[in-house]
Amino acid sequence: MRSHPRRPLRPGASSRPGAGGHGEVLFRLAQCAPFAIALGVLAIELSPAHDLVTGPVISTTPALAALTMGPVGTLSAAALAVAVNITSATYNQSWGTQTQLIIGNFLGLLVVSVASVILSNAVRTRRQIELDQVRRIAVAAQEVVLRPVPELLGPVRAASLCLAAETGAQIGGDLYEAVQTRYGVRLIVGDVRGKGLSAIRAVAVALGAFREAVHYEEDVQEVMNHCAAALRREAGVPGTYTQAELPEVLIEGFTTALIAQVPDEPVVHLVNRGHPPPLVLRQGKVQTLMPSSPMPPLGLEDLADGLLPEPESHPLLPGDRLLLYTDGVIEARNGDNDFLPLPETMEQIAADTTPQEFLEELHKALIRHTGGRLTDDVAMILIDRLV
């Protein structure tokens, strides 16, 4: 059983290019252009300037629609063009005097419409093939960078969940891992600030350092130090980031991270570097494990005053559930701009669910709360203490 299911596109998400920002506006304008042209031609035909020859202009509308819309949109533009031609000919009483010209316009419109529908269908098929290829590559990369969390790790059962805010993406700037070591089960969850390939590169670097250090460093604080050092080394390598990425890395180049260690004893040791605190669900009530000495994220060590504090310990009893998550969960907003009440949501989930089922319920609650519109990446790890 895989504890990290692959996620399809969110409900309502679009796979077309140009989604978001100025590209979205330009795309919408391009979609409206064929209909605007048809209405403009109709206005000319109903005005004193109806002597102008508008047949070639109206014939372009299906072709323009095929560039930005599917076959249905293309047929809609063609139907509007036909309606404009009929209305124009009827209003100007041209059926008897210009019948041949009208028939020629209709034939030209028919040819262009058929060709446009074929083109639109071909473009849509090609885009779907490209999107499927991107998804396959993303899934393969996901298996390497964010591999599934084992279902059973020593004294705990575990499950993980990740959702990317970017349309069709599988990997964002969030990271997580759970490893069984001689020191106990060690987990990390983090959030790389920034976007795109630079964030994914930082995720890979931090996880690589964590996976290596957890097996050799007895002190969990030293594990965190290894992750911080790896990120500093990566940022200092010439040519690591392009000129376009460099300003973003310098301004937002930090990573919030939380490492948890679950030994055989009924406790959990935490090292928190600017990350949202974990939650413990015990007998139906949620407790927040707030750090007593908040520390800055990785990459902002200069803001720390003096030595870093020792790891903090909290009780983790048999039957307890520990949730590690990124801020994309607690900062998810609904239509009223309200944040997701994560502790209350956890308390409402049935106690007899498995870790994977529990995360599935959280996922459903998140989608309901946001209406399927995530604005930030989401990553969660849940563990159940067995003994």
Side-chain angles (χ1 to χ4, degrees):
M1 175 180 177
R2 306 185 72 85
S3 59
H4 184 351
R6 297 166 184 162
R7 297 290 168 197
L9 282 174
R10 300 185 310 278
S14 172
S15 60
R16 56 170 174 70
H22 297 293
E24 176 75 14
V25 175
L26 293 176
F27 189 85
R28 293 299 182 188
L29 290 176
Q31 285 184 318
C32 295
F35 302 99
I37 291 174
L39 294 177
V41 169
L42 179 61
I44 292 175
E45 292 293 338
L46 299 181
S47 71
H50 61 84
D51 290 335
L52 293 175
V53 178
T54 58
V57 177
I58 196 67
S59 297
T60 64
T61 55
L64 292 175
L67 298 177
T68 56
M69 293 182 283
V72 174
T74 303
L75 288 175
S76 299
L80 178 60
V82 170
V84 169
N85 275 340
I86 294 175
T87 302
S88 171
T90 302
Y91 181 80
N92 294 314
Q93 300 178 353
S94 303
W95 287 106
T97 59
Q98 298 180 340
T99 302
Q100 291 183 344
L101 178 61
I102 295 172
I103 293 176
N105 288 341
F106 278 122
L107 289 177
L109 184 59
L110 176 63
V111 172
V112 174
S113 298
V114 171
S116 298
V117 170
I118 296 174
L119 173 63
S120 176
N121 189 62
V123 170
R124 170 165 289 194
T125 301
R126 186 183 66 180
R127 285 177 179 172
Q128 186 61 46
I129 292 174
E130 293 174 349
L131 179 60
D132 290 341
Q133 183 179 10
V134 170
R135 283 172 172 165
R136 287 193 296 269
I137 294 172
V139 169
Q142 180 187 51
E143 293 295 331
V144 175
V145 179
L146 296 178
R147 61 194 181 194
V149 170
E151 184 177 351
L152 184 63
L153 290 165
V156 303
R157 289 188 303 171
S160 61
L161 174 70
C162 70
L163 300 169
E166 291 296 328
T167 300
Q170 295 287 331
I171 299 177
D174 289 358
L175 60 96
Y176 65 87
E177 181 62 290
V179 182
Q180 186 174 3
T181 72
R182 55 181 171 171
Y183 309 110
V185 177
R186 288 178 164 178
L187 310 97
I188 185 173
V189 64
D191 185 1
V192 176
R193 299 301 174 182
K195 302 176 182 178
L197 293 177
S198 61
I200 296 175
R201 185 182 297 115
V203 167
V205 170
L207 285 179
F210 174 81
R211 289 166 178 164
E212 179 71 15
V214 288
H215 295 286
Y216 301 104
E217 293 293 345
E218 181 177 2
D219 187 351
V220 70
Q221 177 67 63
E222 287 300 317
V223 177
M224 183 70 81
N225 292 341
H226 275 277
C227 296
L231 290 170
R232 287 196 300 270
R233 288 195 301 269
E234 181 70 12
V237 175
T240 300
Y241 299 103
T242 65
Q243 290 298 319
E245 295 173 333
L246 196 57
E248 182 180 10
V249 173
L250 293 176
I251 297 173
E252 300 187 38
F254 64 90
T255 301
T256 66
L258 171 70
I259 294 181
Q261 176 175 305
V262 182
D264 293 334
E265 297 77 21
V267 297
V268 58
H269 306 300
L270 301 174
V271 177
N272 193 335
R273 294 292 298 273
H275 199 77
L279 302 176
V280 171
L281 179 60
R282 177 178 300 142
Q283 297 180 351
K285 297 297 181 181
V286 171
Q287 302 177 16
T288 303
L289 306 184
M290 294 293 297
S292 59
S293 301
M295 296 303 299
L298 305 181
L300 299 179
E301 286 80 5
D302 293 342
L303 300 180
D305 187 10
L307 297 177
L308 298 176
E310 294 295 322
E312 298 183 3
S313 299
H314 302 270
L316 188 65
L317 309 177
D320 288 355
R321 283 186 157 165
L322 177 69
L323 179 68
L324 311 183
Y325 56 94
T326 57
D327 59 6
V329 180
I330 55 175
E331 293 181 358
R333 299 173 184 262
N334 60 13
D336 296 328
N337 215 30
D338 298 324
F339 293 118
L340 174 72
L342 183 57
E344 292 81 357
T345 304
M346 293 176 60
E347 293 174 352
Q348 294 171 359
I349 299 176
D352 58 350
T353 55
T354 66
Q356 190 62 57
E357 291 171 344
F358 190 92
L359 290 185
E360 290 291 344
E361 291 300 319
L362 283 181
H363 174 217
K364 294 176 183 178
L366 186 65
I367 295 302
R368 286 195 302 268
H369 184 77
T370 62
R373 298 181 298 272
L374 294 179
T375 58
D376 195 5
D377 301 329
V378 167
M380 292 183 281
I381 292 184
L382 181 76
I383 63 170
D384 278 359
R385 180 91 200 208
L386 300 177
V387 293

